[in-house]
Amino acid sequence: MATATPAYAHGASPVPLLGDTVGDNLARTAARHPDRLALVSRAQGLRLTYAAFDAEVDRVARALMACGMQAGDRLGIWSPNRAEWAVLQYAAARAGVILVNINPAYRSHELEYVLRQSGCRMLVAAERFKDSDYVAMAQAARPVLEGLEHVVHLGTPSWEELLAGAEATDPEALRARSAGLDAGDPINIQYTSGTTGFPKGAMLSHHNILNNGYFVGEGCRLTERDVICVPVPYYHCFGMVMGNLAATTHGACVVLPGEGFEPGAVLEAVQSERCTALYGVPTMFISELEHPGFDGFDLSSLRTGIMAGSPCPIEVMRKVIDRMGMGEVTIAYGMTETSPVSTQTLAEDDLEHRVATVGRVHPHVEIRVADPDTGRTLARGQTGEFQTRGYSVMLGYWEDPQRTAQAIDAARWMHTGDQAVMDEDGYIRIVGRIKDMIIRGGENVYPREIEEFLHTHPDIADAQVVGVPDERFGEEAMAWVVRREGSGLSEEDVRAFCRGRLAHYKVPRYVRFCIDYPMTVTGKVQKNKLRELAAQGLAEPRTAPEAE
């Protein structure tokens, strides 16, 4: 009797892993393609060749050293997509400084936590973005943060003063600093919303993100002739790894259509810059396809791109291929803790595989589907937890060994918390989530973080947050709130409490009041029942468990 094939795959590859640091790899690319464009920031009217970009990276790296930033120190970057963000990414890496990505949507409550938990010595921030006044929030945070020595705002005299300091650092000192770095050194901390309380800082090395960016680019068949439109945010792996590092490891060009996403600006950038690749989460592609002037844009230069962040409806994929000409568009799956990509579809995969699955194992990575209770590898066709192992797995959560041990087991398997099935050909289909994570338009939202924040409201006795389906964003957050006795708290009061203190995508779209929650016999809240009640409640807005 034949035994079942294990739900395990190894991305054996004849293409070796890169062994250098991010800074050295950029220098090599700049030497090969000095006159090719590396970065175009359309909102800033800025165009940098590889030679110019590399020189600017050197200047900013020397400026960081002049400020006293040592290898291993942390530098927070809090800004929408700008050329300076990309320069800082590579400059920090060249100087051995750990870049701490801060979501531009964060408000004071979240900013203070991230700066304190990571121990940032320096914060580089924009002045403002949309309705966020970064200057005011940074000023409010600084007095309560020990160790934050420098706050610099882009486009202000403080940024110019930082750059002027580069003259105080001998280029030989920078070369010596860079030569002393190792590819295994931590170089980036990215915060992911925590299932219990506050976000966790995933600590990533040169080796992690440089190689992941390189092999994502290989999956898209990138060369130095490609021009990648990157409207996804830099603070996330999608922008800085799959965008910047995929480009610089291949000598390609990155085009920033604007500081934030705006569909018309993206379409204009693709047309004007003759972009060959376009990145985005499904909601971005939907907005571009629905733009009233869509048919007037020339998108004939497009060849490939990446859709990731949440499942893609098959009709959207068809339109992206047929109406946008992206015949080689790929789907990628991953998580911040794995740098991020573990699986990817390829250009030769048929439409069904590019929509119904998240592709097959990435080069030099191991994946499996395991029984979450026993830890044993299941057979192909069985549902279990998707796990991954290899060069891309993070070093750990910053200064949080307990949660690191919960995520990465003794055999170095990263537990994603996602439920998956591997078919006989090795394609992975994500079928659900073991955790309660909500994916809203590509943003990971963990209910526990919102719940803990809601508990700080004096009129809220208890709060439970679940995800509910949404046609545009995939999911939205719904908060089930138990009011304190005598409280007249309204739904709008709850949302107003969150606005300005939580990132906009974490603010519950729906709020329902109840007396208590459906519980298990062991006293655990049955969130699956809350989700069922939520679905009813959206159809019949006042439905709630034991509604008041």
Side-chain angles (χ1 to χ4, degrees), residues 397-455:
Y397 293 120
W398 178 260
E399 294 192 342
D400 198 340
Q402 182 177 352
R403 289 203 281 185
T404 298
Q406 292 169 354
I408 305 172
D409 64 28
R412 290 292 298 172
W413 285 106
M414 177 73 210
H415 293 239
T416 68
D418 284 330
Q419 291 179 308
V421 178
M422 181 185 293
D423 70 17
E424 287 298 327
D425 295 322
Y427 287 91
I428 292 289
R429 184 164 52 92
I430 303 297
V431 297
R433 290 186 294 281
I434 297 169
K435 302 172 185 175
D436 290 323
M437 184 176 73
I438 300 165
I439 301 182
R440 182 196 181 276
E443 296 280 7
N444 291 352
V445 180
Y446 286 88
R448 182 67 177 174
E449 184 184 357
I450 304 173
E451 291 163 0
E452 295 235 345
F453 179 73
L454 290 175
H455 273 88

Short mmCIF file of all heavy atoms in Angstrom, two decimals, residues 397-455:
data_model
loop_
_atom_site.label_atom_id
_atom_site.label_comp_id
_atom_site.label_asym_id
_atom_site.label_seq_id
_atom_site.Cartn_x
_atom_site.Cartn_y
_atom_site.Cartn_z
N TYR A 397 11.83 38.16 17.86
CA TYR A 397 11.20 39.42 18.21
C TYR A 397 12.13 40.21 19.12
O TYR A 397 12.70 39.66 20.06
CB TYR A 397 9.86 39.19 18.92
CG TYR A 397 8.80 38.57 18.04
CD1 TYR A 397 8.23 37.33 18.35
CD2 TYR A 397 8.36 39.21 16.89
CE1 TYR A 397 7.26 36.77 17.55
CE2 TYR A 397 7.40 38.65 16.07
CZ TYR A 397 6.85 37.42 16.41
OH TYR A 397 5.89 36.86 15.60
N TRP A 398 12.27 41.50 18.84
CA TRP A 398 13.21 42.35 19.57
C TRP A 398 12.91 42.32 21.07
O TRP A 398 11.82 42.68 21.51
CB TRP A 398 13.14 43.77 19.03
CG TRP A 398 14.03 44.73 19.76
CD1 TRP A 398 13.68 45.61 20.74
CD2 TRP A 398 15.44 44.89 19.55
NE1 TRP A 398 14.78 46.31 21.15
CE2 TRP A 398 15.88 45.90 20.45
CE3 TRP A 398 16.37 44.29 18.70
CZ2 TRP A 398 17.20 46.32 20.52
CZ3 TRP A 398 17.69 44.70 18.77
CH2 TRP A 398 18.10 45.70 19.66
N GLU A 399 13.93 41.86 21.84
CA GLU A 399 13.87 41.81 23.29
C GLU A 399 12.58 41.16 23.80
O GLU A 399 11.97 41.61 24.78
CB GLU A 399 14.01 43.23 23.88
CG GLU A 399 15.40 43.81 23.61
CD GLU A 399 15.69 45.07 24.40
OE1 GLU A 399 14.74 45.69 24.92
OE2 GLU A 399 16.88 45.41 24.52
N ASP A 400 12.18 40.07 23.14
CA ASP A 400 10.98 39.35 23.56
C ASP A 400 11.18 37.85 23.32
O ASP A 400 10.56 37.25 22.44
CB ASP A 400 9.76 39.85 22.77
CG ASP A 400 8.44 39.49 23.43
OD1 ASP A 400 8.44 38.56 24.27
OD2 ASP A 400 7.42 40.12 23.11
N PRO A 401 12.06 37.23 24.10
CA PRO A 401 12.36 35.80 23.89
C PRO A 401 11.16 34.89 24.10
O PRO A 401 11.05 33.84 23.45
CB PRO A 401 13.46 35.51 24.93
CG PRO A 401 13.35 36.61 25.94
CD PRO A 401 12.87 37.80 25.20
N GLN A 402 10.23 35.29 24.97
CA GLN A 402 9.07 34.44 25.22
C GLN A 402 8.19 34.32 23.98
O GLN A 402 7.82 33.21 23.58
CB GLN A 402 8.25 35.00 26.39
CG GLN A 402 7.04 34.13 26.74
CD GLN A 402 6.27 34.67 27.94
OE1 GLN A 402 6.70 35.61 28.60
NE2 GLN A 402 5.13 34.06 28.23
N ARG A 403 7.87 35.45 23.36
CA ARG A 403 7.03 35.39 22.17
C ARG A 403 7.80 34.85 20.97
O ARG A 403 7.21 34.26 20.06
CB ARG A 403 6.41 36.75 21.88
CG ARG A 403 5.34 37.11 22.92
CD ARG A 403 4.34 38.11 22.40
NE ARG A 403 4.87 39.47 22.45
CZ ARG A 403 4.16 40.56 22.14
NH1 ARG A 403 2.92 40.45 21.75
NH2 ARG A 403 4.72 41.75 22.20
N THR A 404 9.12 35.01 20.96
CA THR A 404 9.93 34.39 19.91
C THR A 404 9.81 32.88 19.99
O THR A 404 9.61 32.20 18.97
CB THR A 404 11.40 34.80 20.05
OG1 THR A 404 11.52 36.22 19.90
CG2 THR A 404 12.27 34.12 19.00
N ALA A 405 9.91 32.33 21.21
CA ALA A 405 9.81 30.88 21.40
C ALA A 405 8.43 30.35 21.04
O ALA A 405 8.29 29.21 20.60
CB ALA A 405 10.15 30.53 22.84
N GLN A 406 7.41 31.18 21.19
CA GLN A 406 6.06 30.77 20.81
C GLN A 406 5.90 30.71 19.30
O GLN A 406 5.11 29.92 18.77
CB GLN A 406 5.04 31.74 21.40
CG GLN A 406 4.93 31.69 22.92
CD GLN A 406 4.10 32.84 23.49
OE1 GLN A 406 3.69 33.75 22.75
NE2 GLN A 406 3.86 32.80 24.78
N ALA A 407 6.66 31.53 18.59
CA ALA A 407 6.52 31.62 17.13
C ALA A 407 7.45 30.66 16.39
O ALA A 407 7.10 30.12 15.34
CB ALA A 407 6.79 33.04 16.66
N ILE A 408 8.67 30.47 16.91
CA ILE A 408 9.68 29.62 16.25
C ILE A 408 10.00 28.46 17.18
O ILE A 408 10.48 28.67 18.29
CB ILE A 408 10.96 30.43 15.96
CG1 ILE A 408 10.64 31.68 15.13
CG2 ILE A 408 11.98 29.56 15.22
CD1 ILE A 408 11.82 32.62 14.98
N ASP A 409 9.74 27.24 16.71
CA ASP A 409 9.95 26.09 17.59
C ASP A 409 11.41 25.65 17.61
O ASP A 409 12.28 26.27 16.94
CB ASP A 409 9.01 24.94 17.23
CG ASP A 409 9.26 24.35 15.84
OD1 ASP A 409 10.41 24.40 15.35
OD2 ASP A 409 8.31 23.80 15.25
N ALA A 410 11.70 24.60 18.35
CA ALA A 410 13.08 24.16 18.55
C ALA A 410 13.73 23.71 17.25
O ALA A 410 14.96 23.73 17.12
CB ALA A 410 13.12 23.02 19.57
N ALA A 411 12.93 23.31 16.27
CA ALA A 411 13.46 22.88 14.98
C ALA A 411 13.54 24.04 13.98
O ALA A 411 13.79 23.82 12.80
CB ALA A 411 12.60 21.75 14.41
N ARG A 412 13.28 25.27 14.45
CA ARG A 412 13.35 26.50 13.66
C ARG A 412 12.20 26.65 12.66
O ARG A 412 12.29 27.43 11.71
CB ARG A 412 14.70 26.66 12.93
CG ARG A 412 15.87 26.94 13.84
CD ARG A 412 15.80 28.32 14.48
NE ARG A 412 15.85 29.42 13.52
CZ ARG A 412 15.65 30.69 13.84
NH1 ARG A 412 15.39 31.03 15.09
NH2 ARG A 412 15.71 31.64 12.92
N TRP A 413 11.10 25.91 12.88
CA TRP A 413 9.92 26.13 12.05
C TRP A 413 9.20 27.38 12.56
O TRP A 413 8.91 27.50 13.75
CB TRP A 413 8.96 24.95 12.12
CG TRP A 413 9.38 23.74 11.34
CD1 TRP A 413 9.87 22.57 11.84
CD2 TRP A 413 9.37 23.59 9.92
NE1 TRP A 413 10.16 21.69 10.82
CE2 TRP A 413 9.86 22.29 9.62
CE3 TRP A 413 8.99 24.42 8.86
CZ2 TRP A 413 9.98 21.81 8.33
CZ3 TRP A 413 9.11 23.94 7.56
CH2 TRP A 413 9.60 22.65 7.30
N MET A 414 8.91 28.30 11.64
CA MET A 414 8.11 29.47 11.96
C MET A 414 6.64 29.11 11.86
O MET A 414 6.16 28.65 10.81
CB MET A 414 8.43 30.61 10.97
CG MET A 414 7.61 31.87 11.17
SD MET A 414 8.10 32.81 12.62
CE MET A 414 6.52 33.57 13.05
N HIS A 415 5.90 29.28 12.94
CA HIS A 415 4.47 28.97 12.98
C HIS A 415 3.69 30.20 12.54
O HIS A 415 3.66 31.21 13.25
CB HIS A 415 4.07 28.53 14.39
CG HIS A 415 4.67 27.22 14.81
ND1 HIS A 415 3.93 26.13 15.17
CD2 HIS A 415 5.97 26.82 14.89
CE1 HIS A 415 4.71 25.11 15.47
NE2 HIS A 415 5.97 25.52 15.31
N THR A 416 3.05 30.11 11.39
CA THR A 416 2.37 31.28 10.83
C THR A 416 1.00 31.53 11.43
O THR A 416 0.50 32.65 11.38
CB THR A 416 2.19 31.13 9.31
OG1 THR A 416 1.24 30.09 9.05
CG2 THR A 416 3.51 30.83 8.62
N GLY A 417 0.37 30.48 11.96
CA GLY A 417 -1.00 30.63 12.45
C GLY A 417 -2.03 30.54 11.35
O GLY A 417 -3.23 30.59 11.62
N ASP A 418 -1.60 30.38 10.10
CA ASP A 418 -2.53 30.24 8.99
C ASP A 418 -2.81 28.77 8.71
O ASP A 418 -1.91 27.93 8.77
CB ASP A 418 -1.94 30.88 7.72
CG ASP A 418 -2.02 32.39 7.75
OD1 ASP A 418 -2.95 32.92 8.37
OD2 ASP A 418 -1.16 33.03 7.13
N GLN A 419 -4.04 28.47 8.38
CA GLN A 419 -4.43 27.12 7.99
C GLN A 419 -4.26 26.98 6.49
O GLN A 419 -4.68 27.84 5.73
CB GLN A 419 -5.88 26.84 8.38
CG GLN A 419 -6.10 26.74 9.89
CD GLN A 419 -7.55 26.50 10.21
OE1 GLN A 419 -8.43 27.22 9.75
NE2 GLN A 419 -7.82 25.47 10.99
N ALA A 420 -3.66 25.87 6.07
CA ALA A 420 -3.35 25.70 4.66
C ALA A 420 -3.50 24.25 4.24
O ALA A 420 -3.53 23.33 5.06
CB ALA A 420 -1.93 26.18 4.39
N VAL A 421 -3.56 24.07 2.92
CA VAL A 421 -3.56 22.74 2.29
C VAL A 421 -2.52 22.77 1.19
O VAL A 421 -2.46 23.73 0.42
CB VAL A 421 -4.94 22.40 1.70
CG1 VAL A 421 -4.90 21.05 1.00
CG2 VAL A 421 -6.02 22.41 2.78
N MET A 422 -1.70 21.72 1.11
CA MET A 422 -0.75 21.57 0.01
C MET A 422 -1.28 20.50 -0.93
O MET A 422 -1.59 19.39 -0.49
CB MET A 422 0.64 21.18 0.53
CG MET A 422 1.69 21.04 -0.58
SD MET A 422 3.29 20.42 0.03
CE MET A 422 3.84 21.78 1.04
N ASP A 423 -1.38 20.82 -2.23
CA ASP A 423 -1.86 19.81 -3.16
C ASP A 423 -0.72 18.92 -3.63
O ASP A 423 0.44 19.11 -3.25
CB ASP A 423 -2.63 20.44 -4.33
CG ASP A 423 -1.74 21.23 -5.29
OD1 ASP A 423 -0.51 21.06 -5.28
OD2 ASP A 423 -2.30 22.02 -6.09
N GLU A 424 -1.04 17.97 -4.46
CA GLU A 424 -0.03 16.99 -4.89
C GLU A 424 1.10 17.62 -5.68
O GLU A 424 2.20 17.07 -5.74
CB GLU A 424 -0.70 15.88 -5.72
CG GLU A 424 -1.54 14.91 -4.91
CD GLU A 424 -0.72 14.15 -3.86
OE1 GLU A 424 0.47 13.86 -4.12
OE2 GLU A 424 -1.27 13.85 -2.78
N ASP A 425 0.85 18.77 -6.30
CA ASP A 425 1.89 19.44 -7.07
C ASP A 425 2.68 20.46 -6.24
O ASP A 425 3.54 21.17 -6.77
CB ASP A 425 1.27 20.15 -8.29
CG ASP A 425 0.67 19.16 -9.27
OD1 ASP A 425 1.27 18.08 -9.46
OD2 ASP A 425 -0.42 19.45 -9.81
N GLY A 426 2.36 20.55 -4.95
CA GLY A 426 3.10 21.44 -4.07
C GLY A 426 2.56 22.84 -3.95
O GLY A 426 3.16 23.68 -3.27
N TYR A 427 1.43 23.12 -4.60
CA TYR A 427 0.82 24.44 -4.48
C TYR A 427 0.11 24.56 -3.12
O TYR A 427 -0.50 23.61 -2.64
CB TYR A 427 -0.20 24.69 -5.60
CG TYR A 427 0.43 24.92 -6.95
CD1 TYR A 427 0.67 23.85 -7.82
CD2 TYR A 427 0.79 26.20 -7.36
CE1 TYR A 427 1.26 24.05 -9.05
CE2 TYR A 427 1.37 26.41 -8.61
CZ TYR A 427 1.61 25.33 -9.45
OH TYR A 427 2.20 25.54 -10.68
N ILE A 428 0.20 25.74 -2.53
CA ILE A 428 -0.38 26.00 -1.21
C ILE A 428 -1.66 26.82 -1.36
O ILE A 428 -1.69 27.84 -2.07
CB ILE A 428 0.62 26.76 -0.31
CG1 ILE A 428 1.81 25.87 0.04
CG2 ILE A 428 -0.07 27.26 0.95
CD1 ILE A 428 1.48 24.74 1.00
N ARG A 429 -2.68 26.38 -0.67
CA ARG A 429 -3.93 27.13 -0.60
C ARG A 429 -4.17 27.50 0.86
O ARG A 429 -4.19 26.64 1.74
CB ARG A 429 -5.09 26.28 -1.14
CG ARG A 429 -6.41 26.99 -1.22
CD ARG A 429 -7.39 26.22 -2.13
NE ARG A 429 -7.47 24.83 -1.75
CZ ARG A 429 -8.37 24.34 -0.89
NH1 ARG A 429 -9.25 25.15 -0.31
NH2 ARG A 429 -8.40 23.05 -0.60
N ILE A 430 -4.31 28.79 1.13
CA ILE A 430 -4.61 29.27 2.48
C ILE A 430 -6.13 29.22 2.68
O ILE A 430 -6.88 29.82 1.90
CB ILE A 430 -4.10 30.70 2.70
CG1 ILE A 430 -2.59 30.78 2.42
CG2 ILE A 430 -4.42 31.17 4.11
CD1 ILE A 430 -1.73 29.94 3.33
N VAL A 431 -6.57 28.47 3.69
CA VAL A 431 -8.01 28.25 3.86
C VAL A 431 -8.59 28.93 5.08
O VAL A 431 -9.81 28.96 5.25
CB VAL A 431 -8.32 26.73 3.92
CG1 VAL A 431 -7.95 26.07 2.61
CG2 VAL A 431 -7.59 26.06 5.07
N GLY A 432 -7.77 29.47 5.93
CA GLY A 432 -8.30 30.13 7.12
C GLY A 432 -7.16 30.57 8.02
O GLY A 432 -5.99 30.48 7.65
N ARG A 433 -7.51 31.02 9.21
CA ARG A 433 -6.50 31.47 10.16
C ARG A 433 -6.75 30.84 11.51
O ARG A 433 -7.87 30.84 12.01
CB ARG A 433 -6.49 33.00 10.26
CG ARG A 433 -5.97 33.66 9.02
CD ARG A 433 -5.84 35.15 9.20
NE ARG A 433 -7.10 35.82 9.37
CZ ARG A 433 -7.93 36.12 8.38
NH1 ARG A 433 -7.61 35.77 7.15
NH2 ARG A 433 -9.06 36.75 8.61
N ILE A 434 -5.70 30.29 12.06
CA ILE A 434 -5.81 29.76 13.41
C ILE A 434 -5.94 30.92 14.39
O ILE A 434 -6.73 30.88 15.33
CB ILE A 434 -4.58 28.88 13.74
CG1 ILE A 434 -4.53 27.68 12.79
CG2 ILE A 434 -4.60 28.42 15.19
CD1 ILE A 434 -3.24 26.90 12.84
N LYS A 435 -5.21 31.96 14.13
CA LYS A 435 -5.30 33.16 14.96
C LYS A 435 -6.53 33.96 14.54
O LYS A 435 -7.17 33.66 13.55
CB LYS A 435 -4.04 34.01 14.80
CG LYS A 435 -2.76 33.28 15.15
CD LYS A 435 -1.56 34.13 14.77
CE LYS A 435 -0.26 33.38 15.00
NZ LYS A 435 0.92 34.15 14.54
N ASP A 436 -6.83 34.98 15.27
CA ASP A 436 -8.00 35.80 14.99
C ASP A 436 -7.67 37.00 14.11
O ASP A 436 -8.44 37.95 14.03
CB ASP A 436 -8.61 36.32 16.31
CG ASP A 436 -9.25 35.22 17.11
OD1 ASP A 436 -9.85 34.32 16.50
OD2 ASP A 436 -9.14 35.26 18.34
N MET A 437 -6.53 36.98 13.48
CA MET A 437 -6.08 38.13 12.71
C MET A 437 -7.10 38.54 11.65
O MET A 437 -7.70 37.70 10.98
CB MET A 437 -4.75 37.80 12.02
CG MET A 437 -4.14 38.94 11.26
SD MET A 437 -2.53 38.49 10.60
CE MET A 437 -3.00 37.38 9.27
N ILE A 438 -7.27 39.83 11.53
CA ILE A 438 -8.11 40.42 10.50
C ILE A 438 -7.17 41.00 9.44
O ILE A 438 -6.19 41.66 9.77
CB ILE A 438 -8.99 41.55 11.09
CG1 ILE A 438 -9.89 41.01 12.20
CG2 ILE A 438 -9.81 42.23 9.99
CD1 ILE A 438 -10.50 42.12 13.06
N ILE A 439 -7.45 40.72 8.16
CA ILE A 439 -6.67 41.35 7.09
C ILE A 439 -7.57 42.36 6.39
O ILE A 439 -8.50 42.00 5.68
CB ILE A 439 -6.13 40.31 6.09
CG1 ILE A 439 -5.24 39.29 6.81
CG2 ILE A 439 -5.35 41.00 4.98
CD1 ILE A 439 -4.64 38.26 5.89
N ARG A 440 -7.27 43.62 6.63
CA ARG A 440 -8.08 44.70 6.06
C ARG A 440 -7.26 45.41 4.98
O ARG A 440 -6.33 46.14 5.27
CB ARG A 440 -8.48 45.71 7.15
CG ARG A 440 -9.36 46.85 6.62
CD ARG A 440 -9.41 47.99 7.60
NE ARG A 440 -10.26 49.07 7.12
CZ ARG A 440 -9.87 50.03 6.29
NH1 ARG A 440 -8.63 50.05 5.83
NH2 ARG A 440 -10.70 50.99 5.92
N GLY A 441 -7.60 45.15 3.73
CA GLY A 441 -6.93 45.82 2.62
C GLY A 441 -5.43 45.63 2.62
O GLY A 441 -4.68 46.53 2.28
N GLY A 442 -4.97 44.45 3.06
CA GLY A 442 -3.54 44.17 3.09
C GLY A 442 -2.88 44.48 4.42
O GLY A 442 -1.73 44.12 4.64
N GLU A 443 -3.60 45.15 5.34
CA GLU A 443 -3.05 45.45 6.67
C GLU A 443 -3.46 44.34 7.64
O GLU A 443 -4.62 43.95 7.71
CB GLU A 443 -3.60 46.78 7.20
CG GLU A 443 -3.19 47.99 6.39
CD GLU A 443 -1.78 48.44 6.71
OE1 GLU A 443 -1.08 47.74 7.46
OE2 GLU A 443 -1.37 49.48 6.17
N ASN A 444 -2.50 43.82 8.39
CA ASN A 444 -2.79 42.84 9.42
C ASN A 444 -3.27 43.55 10.68
O ASN A 444 -2.55 44.39 11.22
CB ASN A 444 -1.56 42.00 9.74
CG ASN A 444 -1.17 41.09 8.59
OD1 ASN A 444 -1.90 40.98 7.61
ND2 ASN A 444 -0.05 40.45 8.71
N VAL A 445 -4.45 43.19 11.14
CA VAL A 445 -5.03 43.80 12.34
C VAL A 445 -5.32 42.68 13.34
O VAL A 445 -6.07 41.75 13.03
CB VAL A 445 -6.33 44.57 12.01
CG1 VAL A 445 -6.92 45.19 13.27
CG2 VAL A 445 -6.07 45.64 10.96
N TYR A 446 -4.73 42.77 14.50
CA TYR A 446 -4.96 41.77 15.53
C TYR A 446 -5.96 42.30 16.55
O TYR A 446 -5.72 43.33 17.19
CB TYR A 446 -3.65 41.37 16.21
CG TYR A 446 -2.79 40.50 15.34
CD1 TYR A 446 -1.89 41.07 14.45
CD2 TYR A 446 -2.90 39.12 15.37
CE1 TYR A 446 -1.10 40.28 13.64
CE2 TYR A 446 -2.12 38.32 14.56
CZ TYR A 446 -1.22 38.91 13.69
OH TYR A 446 -0.45 38.13 12.87
N PRO A 447 -7.11 41.61 16.71
CA PRO A 447 -8.16 42.10 17.60
C PRO A 447 -7.68 42.41 19.01
O PRO A 447 -8.14 43.38 19.62
CB PRO A 447 -9.18 40.95 17.59
CG PRO A 447 -9.00 40.32 16.26
CD PRO A 447 -7.52 40.39 15.99
N ARG A 448 -6.76 41.59 19.53
CA ARG A 448 -6.35 41.76 20.91
C ARG A 448 -5.78 43.16 21.17
O ARG A 448 -6.02 43.76 22.22
CB ARG A 448 -5.30 40.71 21.27
CG ARG A 448 -4.81 40.76 22.71
CD ARG A 448 -5.90 40.38 23.69
NE ARG A 448 -5.41 40.36 25.06
CZ ARG A 448 -6.17 40.18 26.12
NH1 ARG A 448 -7.48 39.99 25.97
NH2 ARG A 448 -5.65 40.17 27.33
N GLU A 449 -5.06 43.71 20.21
CA GLU A 449 -4.48 45.05 20.37
C GLU A 449 -5.58 46.10 20.51
O GLU A 449 -5.50 47.00 21.36
CB GLU A 449 -3.57 45.37 19.20
CG GLU A 449 -2.85 46.70 19.35
CD GLU A 449 -2.02 47.06 18.14
OE1 GLU A 449 -1.95 46.25 17.20
OE2 GLU A 449 -1.44 48.15 18.13
N ILE A 450 -6.63 45.97 19.69
CA ILE A 450 -7.74 46.93 19.75
C ILE A 450 -8.50 46.74 21.06
O ILE A 450 -8.91 47.70 21.72
CB ILE A 450 -8.67 46.75 18.54
CG1 ILE A 450 -7.88 46.89 17.23
CG2 ILE A 450 -9.80 47.79 18.59
CD1 ILE A 450 -8.69 46.56 15.99
N GLU A 451 -8.70 45.47 21.44
CA GLU A 451 -9.42 45.18 22.69
C GLU A 451 -8.71 45.80 23.90
O GLU A 451 -9.34 46.41 24.76
CB GLU A 451 -9.54 43.66 22.87
CG GLU A 451 -10.47 43.01 21.87
CD GLU A 451 -10.28 41.50 21.76
OE1 GLU A 451 -9.41 40.96 22.48
OE2 GLU A 451 -10.98 40.88 20.95
N GLU A 452 -7.39 45.65 23.94
CA GLU A 452 -6.65 46.20 25.07
C GLU A 452 -6.78 47.72 25.12
O GLU A 452 -6.88 48.32 26.19
CB GLU A 452 -5.17 45.80 24.98
CG GLU A 452 -4.96 44.31 25.10
CD GLU A 452 -3.98 43.97 26.21
OE1 GLU A 452 -3.28 44.88 26.68
OE2 GLU A 452 -3.95 42.81 26.61
N PHE A 453 -6.78 48.33 23.96
CA PHE A 453 -6.92 49.78 23.92
C PHE A 453 -8.32 50.19 24.36
O PHE A 453 -8.49 51.15 25.14
CB PHE A 453 -6.64 50.30 22.51
CG PHE A 453 -6.80 51.79 22.38
CD1 PHE A 453 -5.86 52.65 22.93
CD2 PHE A 453 -7.91 52.34 21.76
CE1 PHE A 453 -6.01 54.02 22.83
CE2 PHE A 453 -8.07 53.70 21.65
CZ PHE A 453 -7.11 54.55 22.20
N LEU A 454 -9.36 49.50 23.88
CA LEU A 454 -10.73 49.84 24.26
C LEU A 454 -10.94 49.70 25.77
O LEU A 454 -11.74 50.44 26.36
CB LEU A 454 -11.73 48.96 23.50
CG LEU A 454 -11.85 49.22 22.00
CD1 LEU A 454 -12.77 48.21 21.35
CD2 LEU A 454 -12.36 50.64 21.74
N HIS A 455 -10.20 48.79 26.37
CA HIS A 455 -10.34 48.60 27.81
C HIS A 455 -9.85 49.81 28.61
O HIS A 455 -10.12 49.92 29.81
CB HIS A 455 -9.58 47.34 28.26
CG HIS A 455 -10.40 46.10 28.14
ND1 HIS A 455 -10.44 45.35 26.99
CD2 HIS A 455 -11.22 45.46 29.03
CE1 HIS A 455 -11.24 44.31 27.16
NE2 HIS A 455 -11.73 44.35 28.39
#
